[in-house]
Amino acid sequence: MVEKQYTISASEGLHARPTSLLVGSLAPFSSDISLIYNDKTVNMKSILGVMALGVASGATITVRAEGEDENEAIAKIDEVMKSEGLAN
């Protein structure tokens, strides 16, 4: 299991377009990938689950990946978070 924390820096928080790109980028991975925010855990491969959390700018989230390609999944999340300007 691999966990990583991010502080959301996008002024709109986790809004629809970049969240869609983020969720879509995780489809090839077989690992279970979760996003944890305010003591709620959702499947990070579900756009509705991620959007339902209402993650605002300045919030700290935790991403957890568990499975055979967990390190690659976290690397992809890092890449998308940075390229879309979502988190530091």
Side-chain angles (χ1 to χ4, degrees):
M1 179 175 60
V2 179
E3 282 190 357
K4 184 157 185 183
Q5 288 194 327
Y6 296 92
T7 299
I8 302 304
S9 57
S11 60
E12 310 84 8
L14 288 184
H15 60 96
R17 189 191 62 76
T19 299
S20 176
L21 291 172
L22 184 60
V23 169
S25 73
L26 301 178
F29 298 100
S30 62
S31 292
D32 291 328
I33 306 168
S34 302
L35 188 150
I36 304 151
Y37 175 64
N38 280 348
D39 297 322
K40 294 179 185 165
T41 302
V42 298
N43 179 352
M44 200 162 175
K45 294 180 182 180
S46 164
I47 188 153
L48 292 176
V50 174
M51 294 297 297
L53 292 176
V55 179
S57 182
T60 299
I61 63 169
T62 301
V63 174
R64 178 184 300 145
E66 189 168 0
E68 62 185 47
D69 54 4
E70 60 193 24
N71 291 315
E72 293 86 353
I74 292 291
K76 181 53 120 177
I77 293 165
D78 270 347
E79 176 188 318
V80 176
M81 287 283 200
K82 291 177 181 150
S83 70
E84 293 300 314
L86 292 172
N88 301 342

